[in-house]
Amino acid sequence: MEDEAEIYDGIRAQFPLTFGKQQKSQTSLEAIHNATRRSAAATASKNSDDKTNEALPSISSSSKAWLDSLRNSKSPNPNPSDSVIGPPRPPPGPVPDEDDDDDVMVGPPPPPPGSGEDDDDANNAMIGPPRPPVGPSSDLDEEEEEENRYRIPMSNEIILKGHTKIVSALAIDHSGSRVLSGSYDYTVRMFDFQGMNSRLQSFRQLEPFEGHQVRNLSWSPTSDRFLCVTGSAQAKIYDRDGLTLGEFVKGDMYIRDLKNTKGHISGLTCGEWHPKTKETILTSSEDGSLRIWDVNDFKSQKQVIKPKLARPGRIPVTTCAWDREGKCIAGGVGDGSIQIWTLKPGWGSRPDIYIEKSHSDDITALKFSSDGKTLLSRSFDGSLKVWDLRQIKAPLKVFDDLPNNYAQTNIVFSPDEQLFLTGTSIEKESTIGGLLCFYDSSKLELVQRVGISPSCSVVQCAWHPRLNQIFATSGDKSQGGTHVLYDPTLSERGALVCVARAPRKKSVDDFEAPLVIHNPHALPLFRDQPSRKRQREKILKDPIKSHKPELPITGPGHGGRVGSTKGSLLTQYLLKQGGMIKETWMEEDPREAILNRNLFLQSQILMMKRNDLIMLICMISILPKLIWAPTEFIELNWLSGRMDPRTYFPW
């Protein structure tokens, strides 16, 4: 073998180092999962009340926290008898022949020199590893057994980031391959575990309705479409790839009776797809109604449900839910009541089950059990209540001290329904961050609290049955993400697939020469969009877009318009240029014009004959009296001196 190795090395030395297929160093799965492992401080059990003064629960799934835990485990233990589990280490030096040596002996002892009964009994007792000491380790074993009994996958954690505000909506399809997250930043992000690498980036981003928060997301039973509920009055349907299929109609806000409107008239609060029928969905709104829609007809709804109210008015319906079989509808009303309707022939708006004043504040979530006998409710009053629908006079159990500041905080069951879980919000003066609380559904007691974030609230949560992974959304005013808790030994696919897939390295083939654009702002494609203020100023300067009236032109004309100095109309301009119109009266003296007219009349009189004297007298009689020119008429000898003008003109 050594000769073959030497021959191979000799031959390999003749070729360049880059020749042949290069061996790539692959990271082991154990190292990958160690990098995403949660620290022990991130989990706080129900019995750890004496540890309230410790550090906050860590969100950490980073390698730094894991290395710190490794360093702590390697540090010498001052009290090994209290925490060592398993056989102790052998002593560093030779074993002396004493009676107390049996306490540290590993393996069967050497044969005794004699055959005493006492020695035989002692040797028989020390065969094999000694038992672990009885102490605090037994309590740890009991806690581990309790955790293993529920099999909660939370040893590792990854975070799906991308949102700039708190994540308020979450939906995982039935196969567990695609995750939808909606946020208060008005966007929906789509994640695909099969096509995602360790960078954990979304493959698509949607904005269903501009300026409206995303409040709920729901997949269809066949996972080919999903429902998106925003703060607007219209819900939208998208296909699996994020393409819009339709938008439900909006109702007329001026119609008083909500049953006569075609759709919701105020913002939506919740919406869910029917668990069995892929054509039916349910929505609730702030206008005080629930509506059942057919996805094949976006123009009208199938049924309008008006909740029972103590007095007339419009009280918003804050949440809604289907049961497991889709035969019952539950709605949480703003007055604190829970109302349940059973879908049957001839059913109407009158509820079959009415729980009055179930909570002192708005209800944020409702959840049916699989058998339809238990109902869970979550509210703004910081409580979680368990109801038996066969006895609705009082809740079975009330869990308090669960802060809730968001209208989308929900509650879900585990796949086997042994547990149910919900998230908590952070408070201003509190030192506890956002938690995920687990409760036993049979014993109705707190099982465990898991820290998700020290500075962000937990809103939505989900436990996927196929993946066996827990999803929890969190965030605040500046960030948001979806935490995925999993266990490599208990979970399947999902986060395990994308974490182990390293991002593809860039090769020479990926190089693209940048395009040289000499005038990038010449085309609208490369031009930056101006601000609205600048657009308005530009429109005001444009006389056509601003519809500005034309001002009169002073001076010579231009642009096809004639100047005002020679007439504003073309006909006036031509007549003036041709001499057909002469307007001189503006430049003449009125007195001089009247005198000239009188001289014209006198010349006409001189040219008349005697026979026309009567006509002349009649014409002169209608003339105005000219007080400034009587002497001129006298001086004129218009009748050859024979006739005295004073005879006919006495003035």
Side-chain angles (χ1 to χ4, degrees), residues 277-416:
T277 308
K278 64 178 182 179
E279 291 87 9
T280 305
I281 66 170
L282 172 68
T283 58
S284 61
S285 173
E286 296 173 353
D287 60 6
S289 67
L290 297 95
R291 297 174 190 266
I292 301 177
W293 303 82
D294 188 353
V295 297
N296 297 323
D297 184 12
F298 293 99
K299 299 299 182 182
S300 62
Q301 69 269 354
K302 295 172 61 177
Q303 182 73 23
V304 181
I305 305 172
K306 293 176 63 177
K308 178 182 177 181
L309 302 176
R311 53 187 178 183
R314 289 184 179 178
I315 299 179
V317 180
T318 57
T319 185
C320 61
W322 295 95
D323 67 342
R324 181 65 65 87
E325 300 297 329
K327 296 181 180 179
C328 292
I329 296 174
V333 190
D335 58 0
S337 64
I338 298 176
Q339 304 183 27
I340 301 175
W341 295 267
T342 303
L343 275 66
K344 55 188 177 181
W347 69 285
S349 296
R350 187 177 183 85
D352 297 314
I353 298 177
Y354 179 74
I355 306 175
E356 186 179 3
K357 296 180 180 180
S358 60
H359 287 274
S360 60
D361 208 337
D362 289 348
I363 302 170
T364 61
L366 296 172
K367 186 66 177 179
F368 284 96
S369 62
S370 60
D371 56 3
K373 299 178 181 179
T374 306
L375 180 68
L376 305 177
S377 62
R378 188 81 163 90
S379 174
F380 271 133
D381 58 9
S383 66
L384 187 155
K385 294 186 179 182
V386 183
W387 302 87
D388 187 354
L389 298 181
R390 295 166 293 184
Q391 298 175 357
I392 60 173
K393 293 184 179 180
L396 294 178
K397 184 70 175 179
V398 179
F399 299 98
D400 295 322
D401 298 330
L402 298 173
N404 182 9
N405 300 329
Y406 294 93
Q408 289 77 33
T409 304
N410 70 336
I411 181 170
V412 296
F413 279 100
S414 62
D416 55 1

Side-chain angles (χ1 to χ4, degrees), residues 89-346:
R89 295 181 179 182
V95 181
D97 295 337
E98 294 181 1
D99 295 339
D100 297 336
D101 296 338
D102 297 337
D103 295 337
V104 295
M105 185 176 295
V106 178
S115 60
E117 294 179 358
D118 296 337
D119 296 336
D120 294 340
D121 294 340
N123 295 332
N124 293 333
M126 291 305 300
I127 296 176
R131 295 180 180 180
V134 179
S137 60
S138 61
D139 297 337
L140 295 175
D141 293 341
E142 291 178 1
E143 292 180 4
E144 290 180 359
E145 290 179 0
E146 185 178 1
E147 292 178 6
N148 293 333
R149 182 168 68 89
Y150 294 111
R151 300 175 67 85
I152 302 175
M154 59 179 182
S155 62
N156 295 60
E157 178 185 16
I158 61 173
I159 304 177
L160 306 178
K161 299 181 180 180
H163 291 287
T164 58
K165 291 185 179 180
I166 190 167
V167 180
S168 57
L170 176 68
I172 306 101
D173 67 343
H174 302 284
S175 63
S177 60
R178 292 202 173 177
V179 179
L180 304 175
S181 64
S183 172
Y184 279 6
D185 61 2
Y186 319 135
T187 61
V188 175
R189 288 186 175 269
M190 305 179 66
F191 299 88
D192 189 0
F193 283 130
Q194 303 299 327
M196 190 165 50
N197 53 29
S198 58
R199 293 179 180 176
L200 306 178
Q201 296 179 350
S202 61
F203 73 93
R204 182 155 297 172
Q205 180 179 354
L206 309 173
E207 188 173 1
F209 209 102
E210 184 179 0
H212 289 276
Q213 301 170 351
V214 180
R215 296 184 175 178
N216 199 14
L217 296 167
S218 179
W219 284 97
S220 65
T222 55
S223 298
D224 59 341
R225 292 171 289 183
F226 67 89
L227 167 68
C228 180
V229 175
T230 62
S232 65
Q234 298 171 274
K236 284 189 175 182
I237 303 295
Y238 294 88
D239 65 354
R240 187 176 178 82
D241 296 327
L243 301 178
T244 306
L245 297 179
E247 182 181 33
F248 292 104
V249 69
K250 183 179 179 180
D252 190 353
M253 65 179 67
Y254 298 103
I255 297 179
R256 186 66 179 173
D257 191 359
L258 294 177
K259 287 190 174 182
N260 296 329
T261 60
K262 295 182 179 180
H264 290 291
I265 62 175
S266 297
L268 301 177
T269 57
C270 188
E272 281 193 7
W273 213 293
H274 194 280
K276 301 295 182 181
T277 308
K278 64 178 182 179
E279 291 87 9
T280 305
I281 66 170
L282 172 68
T283 58
S284 61
S285 173
E286 296 173 353
D287 60 6
S289 67
L290 297 95
R291 297 174 190 266
I292 301 177
W293 303 82
D294 188 353
V295 297
N296 297 323
D297 184 12
F298 293 99
K299 299 299 182 182
S300 62
Q301 69 269 354
K302 295 172 61 177
Q303 182 73 23
V304 181
I305 305 172
K306 293 176 63 177
K308 178 182 177 181
L309 302 176
R311 53 187 178 183
R314 289 184 179 178
I315 299 179
V317 180
T318 57
T319 185
C320 61
W322 295 95
D323 67 342
R324 181 65 65 87
E325 300 297 329
K327 296 181 180 179
C328 292
I329 296 174
V333 190
D335 58 0
S337 64
I338 298 176
Q339 304 183 27
I340 301 175
W341 295 267
T342 303
L343 275 66
K344 55 188 177 181

Side-chain angles (χ1 to χ4, degrees), residues 366-486:
L366 296 172
K367 186 66 177 179
F368 284 96
S369 62
S370 60
D371 56 3
K373 299 178 181 179
T374 306
L375 180 68
L376 305 177
S377 62
R378 188 81 163 90
S379 174
F380 271 133
D381 58 9
S383 66
L384 187 155
K385 294 186 179 182
V386 183
W387 302 87
D388 187 354
L389 298 181
R390 295 166 293 184
Q391 298 175 357
I392 60 173
K393 293 184 179 180
L396 294 178
K397 184 70 175 179
V398 179
F399 299 98
D400 295 322
D401 298 330
L402 298 173
N404 182 9
N405 300 329
Y406 294 93
Q408 289 77 33
T409 304
N410 70 336
I411 181 170
V412 296
F413 279 100
S414 62
D416 55 1
E417 292 196 357
Q418 291 185 5
L419 301 173
F420 56 86
L421 59 150
T422 186
T424 62
S425 303
I426 60 173
E427 296 179 334
K428 292 183 178 179
E429 300 179 356
S430 177
T431 59
I432 301 177
L435 302 176
L436 201 60
C437 302
F438 294 82
Y439 299 91
D440 193 324
S441 58
S442 58
K443 298 179 182 179
L444 297 180
E445 62 181 8
L446 178 64
V447 173
Q448 199 166 17
R449 290 176 179 171
V450 179
I452 300 298
S453 173
S455 59
C456 299
S457 302
V458 179
V459 180
Q460 292 256 317
C461 56
W463 193 332
H464 200 274
R466 291 192 179 182
L467 302 180
N468 195 19
Q469 298 174 10
I470 300 173
F471 297 78
T473 67
S474 64
D476 54 13
K477 295 181 179 180
S478 60
Q479 61 179 342
T482 303
H483 298 250
V484 183
L485 308 182
Y486 69 96

